[in-house]
């Protein structure tokens, strides 16, 4: 396919800008892929990238979707992804227009996050939700709450005008500046579908709730004997659950929520921990830069504490996906040790996350003993006490040494 790069033009008005966006969005995505040097394969009615067959193109809708990374979009997003550039560069690539020559405010400029909620003076509703529905202990809740990472507030849905109480999980950068939040509804509501709770992630998505455990090393202190350990979970509640399950073994580490399956979150956190001079809009690419520029090192360790997701098969393509494991397989970092930590499936389960695992382990501790177990407890040398069974259940969930 032929793709001719358009001549250089400049913008004069907001109307021009809208025309620019419409023009970029309407570009044939297969032609754009070809211009980007992507080898597109057409097989059995499906178009996919030869280097990563989980990246597929929908010709009718003119978009792509990378199943293993759970990202997708149109021609603009494809250019941003492959060229690892900002939107203004993608627009220039697609249309020939240099957005930087536009005198008006660019809609692609990243604005500082504005925290528009008002934290409640009380925390009882949030605590009750985290304890009763999520199985977290007061000790864990207090640990995160005392650091200002979780608060209680009210969230107003602009579409319906309704207000409801929420738990707010806050994401700060290394300078203590609030970069974003995740809002979790406390009340159940069928209107939210299968999830049954309001959930919103706002602000800079490459920052998730982050907590430092122990005394993680500074850049000058990092070594193979004392590596910087970063563990990423998919959500703030999974992160809190992971902490509660393994806090005795975590050691010195930095735990973060990836706001889903986002390599860029781990990269941004690492950039801040290493105190790099990378501009803010490039921190999510630091991991890839490290992969291309340094010798292998044991001074950094990344743990991907992702979900054990249900296996899904696309009815049209036959492609089998399992999001968490696919994310691990496609992480593509070899210079730094990357260790998957995925909860095991228990009998009858088709998927599991760390919060579900926490609730299973804690319910085992509370389970009443049957007559046989009570008799065993009376034996002084018994090694089958319920507490030991619970400890073994917990150990079986961990295949790695966290420290």
């Amino acid at each position: 396919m032929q793709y001719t790069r358009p001549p250089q033009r400049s913008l004069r008005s907001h109307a021009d800008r809208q025309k620019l966006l419409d023009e970029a969005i309407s570009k044939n995505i297969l032609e754009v892929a070809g211009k980007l040097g992507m080898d597109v394969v057409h097989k059995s009615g499906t178009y996919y990238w030869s280097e990563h067959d989980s990246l597929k193109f929908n010709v009718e809708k003119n978009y792509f979707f990378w199943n293993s990374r759970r990202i997708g979009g149109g021609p603009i997003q494809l250019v941003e992804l492959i060229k690892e550039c900002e939107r203004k560069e993608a627009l220039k690539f697609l249309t020939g227009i240099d957005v930087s020559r536009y005198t008006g405010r660019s809609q692609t400029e990243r604005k500082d996050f504005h925290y528009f909620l008002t934290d409640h003076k009380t925390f009882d509703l949030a605590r009750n939700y985290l304890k009763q529905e999520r199985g977290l202990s007061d000790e864990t809740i207090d640990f995160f709450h005392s650091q200002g990472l979780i608060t209680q507030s009210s969230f107003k849905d602009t579409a319906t005008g309704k207000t409801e109480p929420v738990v707010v999980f806050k994401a700060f950068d290394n300078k203590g500046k609030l970069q974003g939040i995740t809002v979790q509804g406390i009340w159940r509501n069928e209107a939210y579908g299968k999830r049954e709770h309001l959930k919103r992630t706002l602000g800079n998505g490459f920052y998730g709730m982050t907590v430092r455990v122990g005394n993680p090393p500074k850049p000058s202190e990092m070594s193979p004997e004392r590596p910087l350990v970063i563990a990423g979970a998919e959500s703030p509640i999974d992160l809190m659950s992971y902490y509660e399950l393994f806090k005795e073994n975590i050691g010195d580490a930095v735990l973060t929520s990836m706001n889903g399956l986002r390599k860029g979150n781990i990269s941004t956190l690492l950039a801040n921990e290493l105190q790099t001079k990378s501009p803010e809009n490039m921190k999510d690419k630091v991991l890839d830069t490290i992969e291309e520029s340094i010798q292998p090192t044991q001074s950094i360790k990344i743990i991907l504490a992702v979900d054990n997701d249900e296996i899904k098969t696309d009815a049209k393509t036959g492609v089998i996906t399992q999001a968490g494991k696919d994310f691990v397989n496609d992480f593509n970092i070899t210079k730094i040790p990357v260790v998957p930590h995925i909860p095991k499936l228990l009998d009858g389960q088709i998927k599991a996350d760390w919060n579900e695992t926490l609730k299973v382990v804690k319910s085992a501790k509370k389970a009443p003993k049957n007559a046989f177990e009570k008799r065993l407890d009376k034996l002084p040398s018994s090694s089958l006490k319920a507490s030991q069974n619970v400890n073994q259940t917990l150990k079986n969930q961990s295949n790695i040494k966290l420290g």
Side-chain angles (χ1 to χ4, degrees):
M1 295 182 181
Q2 296 295 320
Y3 178 93
T4 304
R5 189 166 184 169
Q8 296 292 305
R9 293 179 286 164
S10 60
L11 293 171
R12 290 188 173 87
S13 68
H14 288 284
D16 287 339
R17 180 177 180 79
Q18 187 58 52
K19 290 181 181 178
L20 163 74
L21 291 172
D22 292 341
E23 179 182 338
I25 292 170
S26 66
K27 295 291 184 182
N28 184 296
I29 199 161
L30 293 182
E31 294 182 8
V32 174
K35 181 62 178 177
L36 290 168
M38 302 172 69
D39 180 23
V40 178
V41 177
H42 183 208
K43 185 177 180 180
S44 301
T46 301
Y47 293 89
Y48 61 89
W49 187 16
S50 62
E51 292 186 23
H52 294 279
D53 59 8
S54 68
L55 192 157
K56 303 183 183 302
F57 298 90
N58 186 316
V59 178
E60 293 181 1
K61 296 183 179 180
N62 205 44
Y63 74 75
F64 76 95
F65 189 78
W66 199 335
N67 289 293
S68 63
R69 297 193 183 185
R70 286 185 171 180
I71 56 177
I76 298 174
Q77 289 75 24
L78 183 65
V79 176
E80 290 176 322
L81 175 67
I82 301 302
K83 290 182 67 66
E84 298 184 347
C85 66
E86 294 183 22
R87 174 160 294 199
K88 63 181 180 181
E89 295 176 52
L91 291 173
K92 183 177 180 181
F93 179 86
L94 291 167
T95 67
I97 293 180
D98 186 354
V99 179
S100 63
R101 296 167 63 186
Y102 174 57
T103 57
R105 181 179 177 85
S106 171
Q107 295 179 10
T108 62
E109 290 180 25
R110 180 172 289 167
K111 301 178 182 179
D112 288 341
F113 175 69
H114 171 64
Y115 186 58
F116 58 92
L117 300 177
T118 301
D119 291 336
H120 293 176
K121 294 181 179 179
T122 59
F123 189 67
D124 54 333
L125 293 177
R127 181 181 296 277
N128 184 67
Y129 169 77
L130 294 171
K131 286 182 63 176
Q132 300 303 320
E133 292 204 38
R134 295 300 188 163
L136 293 160
S137 67
D138 279 314
E139 183 181 1
T140 295
I141 296 169
D142 289 340
F143 175 69
F144 285 84
H145 185 228
S146 66
Q147 299 188 47
L149 296 174
I150 52 176
T151 60
Q152 179 181 308
S153 185
S154 294
F155 187 87
K156 183 177 181 179
D157 189 323
T158 55
T160 64
K162 295 182 178 179
T163 300
E164 60 181 287
V166 295
V167 185
V168 182
F169 303 95
K170 298 184 178 182
F172 296 92
D173 62 18
N174 57 320
K175 297 179 181 178
K177 182 179 180 180
L178 186 62
Q179 293 283 356
I181 58 173
T182 295
V183 175
Q184 173 68 52
I186 293 173
W187 291 342
R188 290 182 180 274
N189 188 332
E190 293 182 357
Y192 296 124
K194 186 177 180 180
R195 192 184 298 275
E196 294 188 324
H197 288 279
L198 168 73
K199 187 169 184 179
R200 299 282 191 277
T201 298
L202 307 168
N204 186 340
F206 288 122
Y207 282 89
M209 185 180 77
T210 301
V211 65
R212 302 175 71 80
V213 180
N215 186 28
K218 299 176 181 178
S220 61
E221 301 169 336
M222 292 163 46
S223 69
E225 294 72 32
R226 194 186 173 203
L228 170 64
V229 178
I230 294 175
E234 293 193 29
S235 72
I237 289 176
D238 277 335
L239 176 64
M240 295 176 71
S241 303
Y242 190 80
Y243 166 81
E244 183 164 331
L245 282 166
F246 303 108
K247 60 185 176 183
E248 302 301 328
N249 300 318
I250 287 173
D252 300 326
V254 185
L255 312 185
T256 191
S257 166
M258 297 184 291
N259 294 328
L261 296 168
R262 305 190 70 169
K263 180 179 177 181
N265 285 55
I266 299 291
S267 182
T268 298
L269 175 58
L270 181 59
N272 288 334
E273 289 295 319
L274 296 178
Q275 300 175 16
T276 67
K277 295 183 179 179
S278 301
E280 191 63 44
N281 59 6
M282 294 301 293
K283 288 181 178 178
D284 62 303
K285 304 297 189 300
V286 163
L287 260 177
D288 293 324
T289 301
I290 290 175
E291 179 70 11
E292 297 170 357
S293 61
I294 72 166
Q295 294 298 314
T297 178
Q298 298 291 318
S299 296
I300 302 170
K301 180 179 181 181
I302 296 173
I303 299 171
L304 301 179
V306 298
D307 298 351
N308 196 337
D309 295 287
E310 181 179 1
I311 298 174
K312 295 182 179 180
T313 303
D314 188 287
K316 293 183 178 180
T317 65
V319 174
I320 299 174
T321 60
Q322 199 170 6
K325 292 182 179 179
D326 288 343
F327 175 71
V328 171
N329 293 336
D330 290 335
F331 202 71
N332 293 329
I333 296 297
T334 62
K335 302 295 183 63
I336 297 170
V338 178
V339 182
H341 197 188
I342 301 174
K344 292 184 178 180
L345 296 179
L346 300 178
D347 291 342
Q349 284 186 319
I350 59 174
K351 61 180 180 178
D353 59 36
W354 287 113
N355 183 240
E356 291 169 345
T357 299
L358 173 69
K359 288 188 283 189
V360 168
V361 171
K362 295 184 80 168
S363 65
K365 289 183 179 181
K366 296 179 181 179
K369 299 176 184 178
N370 57 37
F372 177 69
E373 290 173 324
K374 290 178 180 179
R375 289 198 300 272
L376 285 176
D377 282 347
K378 295 178 181 180
L379 299 177
S381 60
S382 173
S383 62
L384 298 175
K385 293 183 179 180
S387 61
Q388 292 173 320
N389 288 338
V390 170
N391 288 336
Q392 187 60 46
T393 301
L394 182 53
K395 289 179 181 178
N396 288 341
Q397 293 293 337
S398 175
N399 298 320
I400 64 171
K401 182 180 179 182
L402 298 183

